[in-house]
Amino acid sequence: MEETTRVAAPKATTRIWEDSSVNAEAPGTTSAPMTTAFSVPAPLSSADELLSRLRDSGLTLATAESLTGGLLSSAVVDIPGSSSVFRGGVISYATDIKHSILGVEQRLLDNGGPVQAEVALQMALGVARLMDASLGLSTTGVAGPGDSEEGPQGLVYVAAVLTSLEDRTHEESIEVVSKHRFEGSREQVRAQSVDAALALSAELLRTFREN
């Protein structure tokens, strides 16, 4: 069962740990305290719904992708009218691009590699800054086939960073990250990663609007 946390409108950075894996441990890279969690109902994985919520809220979207390699952006632009909210995306497949383009800390990449919760968060924030978007959405993980030095096949982190409309410096934000252990082929892992990213961002927007 996935868990998330209800948060208020952006006043200070809030990091939320959400875990869909079985008996998984939160990584040491996320040190901010957790707040009270609640169970998420049926996942909101539709790109149509995400774009509709962005449009209704006057928000814009940017994506930073690693293992999905453009599938997330493609799911967004497949929707007619997406140009009104989608700013653009970065396919940061190579580890050095995560640092040089998206601003992920080199120390973090050197110490733990590209498949970490904190890397996903910094990718999402970096692309939001780069594209001047309200919402940054990212994916990083191991698609396979087989395990790698970064982790087992199916280990995926997705993150979303939502900034306030008034804060164009992106220094105040709501940040959420989720860890997953997907099963299946390389193609299935990548497809499930896209669904997870869309679900996470849609749920974030839902709780943001309710508050």
Side-chain angles (χ1 to χ4, degrees):
M1 180 178 67
E2 292 190 7
E3 294 184 341
T4 189
T5 304
R6 188 179 301 275
V7 292
K11 292 183 179 179
T13 297
T14 303
R15 297 196 176 186
I16 303 161
W17 178 251
E18 186 182 315
D19 194 348
S20 68
S21 61
V22 179
N23 296 324
E25 295 181 356
T29 55
T30 50
S31 58
M34 293 175 59
T35 51
T36 304
F38 68 97
S39 297
V40 180
L44 303 168
S45 58
S46 167
D48 301 79
E49 183 161 9
L50 171 60
L51 292 179
S52 177
R53 288 179 175 177
L54 286 167
R55 193 177 295 111
D56 291 347
S57 301
L59 303 174
T60 54
L61 171 69
T63 58
E65 303 181 63
S66 187
L67 84 155
T68 49
L71 290 179
L72 179 56
S73 297
S74 179
V76 171
V77 300
D78 278 347
I79 308 303
S82 59
S83 60
S84 64
V85 296
F86 185 55
R87 296 282 296 166
V90 173
I91 301 175
S92 54
Y93 208 69
T95 300
D96 63 296
I97 299 299
K98 293 176 176 64
H99 169 68
S100 62
I101 302 297
L102 296 175
V104 176
E105 295 176 19
Q106 189 63 53
R107 169 197 56 81
L108 184 66
L109 295 168
D110 290 342
N111 291 340
V115 184
Q116 302 182 63
E118 184 67 23
V119 170
L121 283 166
Q122 291 190 19
M123 287 172 63
L125 181 58
V127 80
R129 287 172 170 164
L130 184 65
M131 302 288 178
D132 194 26
S134 313
L135 176 67
L137 188 56
S138 71
T139 64
T140 185
V142 182
D147 301 343
S148 76
E149 61 182 14
E150 280 82 32
Q153 179 177 358
L155 174 62
V156 174
Y157 294 93
V158 298
V161 173
L162 178 64
T163 63
S164 68
L165 292 174
E166 295 81 11
D167 174 35
R168 305 314 297 166
T169 64
H170 300 90
E171 291 180 355
E172 295 182 351
S173 62
I174 299 173
E175 302 177 351
V176 292
V177 61
S178 62
K179 177 184 180 181
H180 304 267
R181 282 295 303 275
F182 296 126
E183 296 183 353
S185 66
R186 176 181 176 86
E187 291 75 19
Q188 290 171 325
V189 169
R190 296 174 72 220
Q192 290 174 89
S193 299
V194 171
D195 287 344
L198 293 171
L200 182 67
S201 55
E203 177 63 19
L204 174 59
L205 287 174
R206 185 181 71 83
T207 58
F208 173 72
R209 291 185 67 182
E210 287 180 355
N211 285 277

